[in-house]
Coordinates of all heavy atoms in Angstrom, one line a residue:
F163 N -15.6 -51.0 31.8 CA -15.0 -49.9 31.2 C -13.9 -49.4 32.1 O -12.7 -49.1 31.7 CB -15.9 -48.8 30.8 CG -15.4 -47.7 30.0 CD1 -14.3 -48.0 29.1 CD2 -15.9 -46.4 30.1 CE1 -13.8 -47.0 28.3 CE2 -15.3 -45.4 29.3 CZ -14.3 -45.6 28.4
A164 N -14.1 -49.2 33.5 CA -13.1 -48.7 34.4 C -12.0 -49.7 34.5 O -10.9 -49.2 34.6 CB -13.8 -48.5 35.7
R165 N -12.2 -50.9 34.5 CA -11.1 -51.9 34.6 C -10.2 -51.8 33.4 O -9.0 -51.9 33.4 CB -11.6 -53.3 34.6 CG -12.2 -53.7 36.0 CD -12.4 -55.2 36.2 NE -13.3 -55.7 35.3 CZ -14.6 -55.8 35.4 NH1 -15.2 -55.3 36.6 NH2 -15.4 -56.3 34.5
T166 N -10.8 -51.4 32.2 CA -10.0 -51.3 31.0 C -9.1 -50.0 31.1 O -8.0 -49.9 30.5 CB -10.9 -51.1 29.7 OG1 -11.8 -52.3 29.7 CG2 -10.2 -51.0 28.4
L167 N -9.6 -49.0 31.8 CA -8.9 -47.7 31.9 C -7.7 -47.8 32.9 O -6.9 -46.9 32.7 CB -9.9 -46.6 32.2 CG -11.0 -46.3 31.2 CD1 -11.9 -45.2 31.7 CD2 -10.5 -45.9 29.8
E168 N -7.9 -48.6 33.8 CA -7.0 -48.5 35.0 C -5.5 -48.8 34.5 O -5.2 -49.6 33.8 CB -7.3 -49.6 36.0 CG -8.5 -49.2 36.8 CD -8.9 -50.3 37.7 OE1 -8.2 -51.4 37.8 OE2 -9.8 -50.1 38.6
G169 N -4.6 -47.8 34.9 CA -3.3 -47.9 34.7 C -2.8 -47.7 33.2 O -1.6 -47.9 32.8
Q170 N -3.7 -47.1 32.4 CA -3.4 -46.9 31.1 C -3.3 -45.4 30.7 O -3.6 -44.5 31.6 CB -4.6 -47.5 30.2 CG -4.9 -49.0 30.3 CD -3.8 -49.7 29.9 OE1 -3.0 -49.4 29.0 NE2 -3.5 -51.0 30.6
N171 N -2.6 -45.2 29.6 CA -2.4 -43.8 29.2 C -3.7 -43.3 28.5 O -3.8 -43.1 27.3 CB -1.3 -43.7 28.2 CG 0.1 -43.9 28.9 OD1 0.2 -43.8 30.2 ND2 1.1 -44.1 28.1
V172 N -4.7 -43.0 29.4 CA -6.0 -42.6 28.9 C -6.4 -41.3 29.6 O -6.2 -41.2 30.8 CB -7.0 -43.6 29.1 CG1 -8.4 -43.1 28.7 CG2 -6.7 -44.9 28.4
V173 N -6.8 -40.3 28.8 CA -7.2 -39.1 29.4 C -8.6 -38.9 29.1 O -9.0 -38.9 27.9 CB -6.4 -37.9 28.8 CG1 -6.9 -36.5 29.3 CG2 -4.9 -38.1 29.1
L174 N -9.4 -38.7 30.1 CA -10.9 -38.5 29.9 C -11.1 -36.9 29.6 O -10.3 -36.2 30.1 CB -11.7 -38.9 31.1 CG -11.6 -40.5 31.3 CD1 -12.4 -40.8 32.5 CD2 -11.9 -41.3 30.1
G175 N -12.3 -36.7 29.1 CA -12.6 -35.3 29.0 C -13.7 -34.9 29.8 O -14.5 -35.7 30.3
Y176 N -13.8 -33.6 30.0 CA -14.9 -32.9 30.8 C -15.1 -31.5 30.4 O -14.3 -31.0 29.6 CB -14.8 -33.1 32.3 CG -13.7 -32.4 32.8 CD1 -13.8 -31.2 33.4 CD2 -12.4 -33.0 32.8 CE1 -12.7 -30.4 34.0 CE2 -11.2 -32.3 33.4 CZ -11.4 -31.0 33.9 OH -10.4 -30.2 34.5
Y177 N -16.0 -30.8 31.0 CA -16.2 -29.4 30.6 C -16.6 -28.5 31.8 O -17.1 -29.0 32.8 CB -17.3 -29.3 29.5 CG -18.6 -29.8 29.9 CD1 -19.6 -28.9 30.6 CD2 -19.0 -31.1 29.7 CE1 -20.8 -29.4 30.9 CE2 -20.3 -31.6 30.1 CZ -21.2 -30.8 30.8 OH -22.4 -31.2 31.1
F178 N -16.3 -27.3 31.7 CA -16.6 -26.3 32.7 C -17.8 -25.5 32.2 O -18.1 -25.3 30.9 CB -15.5 -25.4 33.0 CG -14.4 -26.0 33.9 CD1 -13.1 -26.1 33.5 CD2 -14.8 -26.4 35.2 CE1 -12.1 -26.7 34.3 CE2 -13.8 -27.0 36.0 CZ -12.4 -27.1 35.5
T179 N -18.6 -25.0 33.1 CA -19.7 -24.2 32.8 C -19.7 -22.8 33.6 O -19.0 -22.8 34.7 CB -21.1 -24.9 32.9 OG1 -21.2 -25.2 34.4 CG2 -21.2 -26.2 32.1
S180 N -20.4 -22.0 33.1 CA -20.5 -20.7 33.9 C -22.0 -20.2 33.7 O -22.3 -19.7 32.6 CB -19.6 -19.6 33.3 OG -19.6 -18.4 34.1
D181 N -22.8 -20.5 34.7 CA -24.2 -20.1 34.6 C -24.7 -19.7 36.1 O -23.9 -19.7 36.9 CB -25.2 -21.2 34.0 CG -25.0 -22.5 34.9 OD1 -24.8 -22.5 36.0 OD2 -25.0 -23.6 34.2
R182 N -25.9 -19.3 36.0 CA -26.5 -18.7 37.3 C -26.5 -19.7 38.4 O -26.2 -19.4 39.6 CB -27.9 -18.2 37.0 CG -28.5 -17.5 38.2 CD -29.9 -16.9 37.9 NE -29.8 -16.0 36.7 CZ -30.8 -15.4 36.1 NH1 -32.1 -15.7 36.5 NH2 -30.6 -14.6 35.1
D183 N -26.8 -21.0 38.1 CA -26.9 -22.0 39.1 C -25.6 -22.6 39.6 O -25.4 -23.1 40.7 CB -27.8 -23.1 38.6 CG -29.3 -22.6 38.4 OD1 -29.7 -21.6 39.0 OD2 -29.9 -23.2 37.5
G184 N -24.6 -22.5 38.8 CA -23.3 -23.1 39.1 C -23.4 -24.6 39.3 O -22.8 -25.1 40.4
R185 N -24.2 -25.3 38.5 CA -24.3 -26.8 38.8 C -23.0 -27.6 38.5 O -22.4 -27.2 37.6 CB -25.5 -27.3 38.0 CG -26.9 -26.8 38.4 CD -28.0 -27.2 37.5 NE -27.9 -26.6 36.2 CZ -28.7 -26.8 35.1 NH1 -29.7 -27.6 35.2 NH2 -28.6 -26.1 34.0
A186 N -22.8 -28.6 39.3 CA -21.7 -29.4 39.1 C -22.2 -30.9 39.1 O -22.9 -31.3 39.9 CB -20.7 -29.1 40.3
R187 N -21.6 -31.6 38.2 CA -21.9 -33.1 38.0 C -20.6 -33.8 37.8 O -19.7 -33.3 37.1 CB -22.9 -33.3 36.9 CG -24.2 -32.7 37.1 CD -25.2 -33.4 36.1 NE -24.8 -33.2 34.7 CZ -25.3 -33.8 33.7 NH1 -26.3 -34.7 33.9 NH2 -24.9 -33.7 32.5
G188 N -20.5 -35.0 38.3 CA -19.3 -35.8 38.1 C -18.1 -35.4 39.0 O -18.2 -34.5 39.8
T189 N -17.1 -36.1 38.8 CA -15.9 -36.0 39.6 C -14.7 -35.4 38.9 O -14.4 -35.8 37.8 CB -15.4 -37.3 40.2 OG1 -16.5 -38.0 40.9 CG2 -14.3 -37.2 41.1
L190 N -14.4 -34.3 39.4 CA -13.2 -33.6 38.7 C -11.9 -34.3 39.0 O -11.7 -34.9 40.0 CB -13.1 -32.2 39.2 CG -14.1 -31.1 38.7 CD1 -13.9 -29.8 39.4 CD2 -14.1 -31.0 37.2
P191 N -10.9 -34.2 38.0 CA -9.6 -34.7 38.4 C -8.8 -33.8 39.4 O -9.3 -32.8 39.7 CB -8.8 -34.7 37.1 CG -9.5 -33.5 36.3 CD -11.0 -33.6 36.7
A192 N -7.6 -34.2 39.7 CA -6.9 -33.4 40.6 C -6.4 -32.1 40.0 O -6.2 -32.2 38.7 CB -5.7 -34.2 41.2
P193 N -6.3 -31.0 40.6 CA -5.9 -29.8 39.9 C -4.5 -30.0 39.3 O -3.6 -30.8 39.8 CB -5.8 -28.7 41.0 CG -6.7 -29.2 42.0 CD -6.6 -30.7 42.0
A194 N -4.1 -29.3 38.3 CA -2.9 -29.5 37.5 C -1.6 -28.7 38.1 O -0.6 -29.0 38.0 CB -3.0 -29.2 36.0
L195 N -2.1 -27.6 38.8 CA -1.1 -26.7 39.3 C -1.1 -26.7 40.8 O -2.1 -26.4 41.5 CB -1.4 -25.3 38.8 CG -0.4 -24.1 39.2 CD1 1.0 -24.4 38.7 CD2 -0.9 -22.9 38.7
D196 N 0.1 -27.0 41.4 CA 0.2 -27.0 42.9 C 0.1 -25.6 43.4 O 0.9 -24.8 43.0 CB 1.6 -27.7 43.2 CG 1.8 -27.8 44.7 OD1 1.0 -27.3 45.5 OD2 2.6 -28.7 45.1
P197 N -0.9 -25.3 44.3 CA -1.0 -24.0 44.9 C 0.2 -23.5 45.5 O 0.3 -22.2 45.6 CB -2.2 -24.1 45.8 CG -2.9 -25.4 45.4 CD -1.8 -26.3 44.8
A198 N 1.1 -24.4 46.0 CA 2.3 -23.9 46.7 C 3.1 -22.9 45.7 O 3.9 -22.1 46.1 CB 3.1 -25.0 47.1
Y199 N 3.2 -23.2 44.4 CA 3.9 -22.4 43.4 C 3.4 -21.0 43.3 O 4.0 -20.1 42.9 CB 4.1 -23.1 42.1 CG 4.8 -24.3 42.1 CD1 4.2 -25.6 41.9 CD2 6.2 -24.4 42.4 CE1 5.0 -26.8 41.9 CE2 7.0 -25.5 42.4 CZ 6.4 -26.7 42.2 OH 7.2 -27.8 42.2
L200 N 2.0 -20.9 43.7 CA 1.5 -19.5 43.5 C 1.7 -18.6 44.8 O 1.5 -17.4 44.7 CB 0.0 -19.7 43.3 CG -0.4 -20.3 41.9 CD1 -1.9 -20.4 41.8 CD2 0.2 -19.6 40.7
Q201 N 2.0 -19.3 45.9 CA 2.3 -18.6 47.2 C 1.1 -17.6 47.5 O 1.3 -16.5 47.9 CB 3.6 -17.7 47.1 CG 4.8 -18.6 46.8 CD 6.1 -17.9 46.7 OE1 6.1 -16.6 46.7 NE2 7.2 -18.5 46.5
G202 N -0.1 -18.1 47.4 CA -1.2 -17.4 47.8 C -1.8 -16.4 46.7 O -2.8 -15.7 47.0
R203 N -1.1 -16.3 45.7 CA -1.6 -15.4 44.6 C -2.5 -16.1 43.6 O -2.5 -17.2 43.4 CB -0.4 -14.8 43.9 CG 0.6 -14.0 44.8 CD 1.9 -13.8 44.1 NE 2.6 -15.0 43.9 CZ 3.8 -15.0 43.3 NH1 4.4 -13.9 42.8 NH2 4.4 -16.2 43.0
S204 N -3.4 -15.2 42.9 CA -4.2 -15.8 42.0 C -3.7 -15.2 40.6 O -3.0 -14.3 40.5 CB -5.7 -15.2 42.2 OG -5.6 -13.8 42.1
L205 N -4.1 -16.0 39.6 CA -3.8 -15.8 38.2 C -4.9 -15.2 37.4 O -6.0 -15.5 37.7 CB -3.2 -17.0 37.5 CG -2.1 -17.7 38.1 CD1 -1.7 -19.0 37.4 CD2 -0.8 -16.9 38.1
R206 N -4.6 -14.3 36.4 CA -5.7 -13.9 35.5 C -5.9 -15.1 34.6 O -5.0 -15.5 33.8 CB -5.2 -12.7 34.8 CG -5.1 -11.4 35.6 CD -4.9 -10.2 34.7 NE -3.8 -10.2 33.8 CZ -2.6 -9.7 34.2 NH1 -2.4 -9.1 35.3 NH2 -1.5 -9.7 33.3
S207 N -7.1 -15.5 34.5 CA -7.5 -16.7 33.7 C -8.9 -16.7 33.4 O -9.7 -15.9 34.1 CB -7.0 -17.9 34.3 OG -7.7 -18.2 35.6
T208 N -9.4 -17.6 32.7 CA -10.8 -17.9 32.5 C -11.3 -18.6 33.8 O -10.6 -19.5 34.4 CB -11.1 -18.8 31.4 OG1 -10.4 -20.0 31.4 CG2 -10.8 -18.1 30.1
T209 N -12.4 -18.1 34.4 CA -13.0 -18.7 35.6 C -14.4 -19.2 35.4 O -15.2 -18.5 34.7 CB -13.1 -17.5 36.7 OG1 -11.8 -16.9 36.9 CG2 -13.6 -18.0 38.0
W210 N -14.6 -20.4 36.1 CA -15.9 -21.0 35.8 C -16.6 -21.3 37.2 O -15.9 -21.4 38.2 CB -15.7 -22.4 35.1 CG -15.0 -22.2 33.8 CD1 -13.5 -22.2 33.7 CD2 -15.3 -21.9 32.5 NE1 -13.2 -22.1 32.5 CE2 -14.3 -21.8 31.7 CE3 -16.6 -21.7 32.0 CZ2 -14.3 -21.6 30.3 CZ3 -16.7 -21.5 30.6 CH2 -15.6 -21.3 29.7
N211 N -17.9 -21.5 37.2 CA -18.5 -21.8 38.5 C -19.3 -23.2 38.5 O -19.9 -23.5 39.5 CB -19.5 -20.7 38.9 CG -20.7 -20.5 37.9 OD1 -20.7 -21.3 36.9 ND2 -21.5 -19.6 38.1
G212 N -19.1 -23.9 37.3 CA -19.8 -25.2 37.4 C -19.0 -26.1 36.5 O -18.0 -25.7 35.7
H213 N -19.3 -27.4 36.4 CA -18.7 -28.4 35.6 C -19.6 -29.5 35.3 O -20.6 -29.9 35.9 CB -17.4 -28.8 36.2 CG -17.5 -29.6 37.4 ND1 -17.9 -31.0 37.5 CD2 -17.5 -29.3 38.7 CE1 -18.0 -31.5 38.7 NE2 -17.7 -30.4 39.5
G214 N -19.3 -30.3 34.3 CA -19.9 -31.5 33.9 C -18.8 -32.5 33.6 O -18.1 -32.5 32.6

Side-chain angles (χ1 to χ4, degrees):
F163 187 33
R165 287 194 296 272
T166 305
L167 299 177
E168 285 180 355
Q170 302 296 329
N171 287 347
V172 176
V173 178
L174 298 182
Y176 65 96
Y177 60 88
F178 283 117
T179 61
S180 182
D181 54 38
R182 183 177 302 175
D183 298 331
R185 288 175 293 182
R187 294 194 305 166
T189 302
L190 287 176
L195 182 62
D196 188 342
Y199 290 116
L200 298 178
Q201 299 179 356
R203 295 167 296 182
S204 61
L205 301 176
R206 295 194 296 267
S207 66
T208 53
T209 302
W210 312 88
N211 64 358
H213 65 81

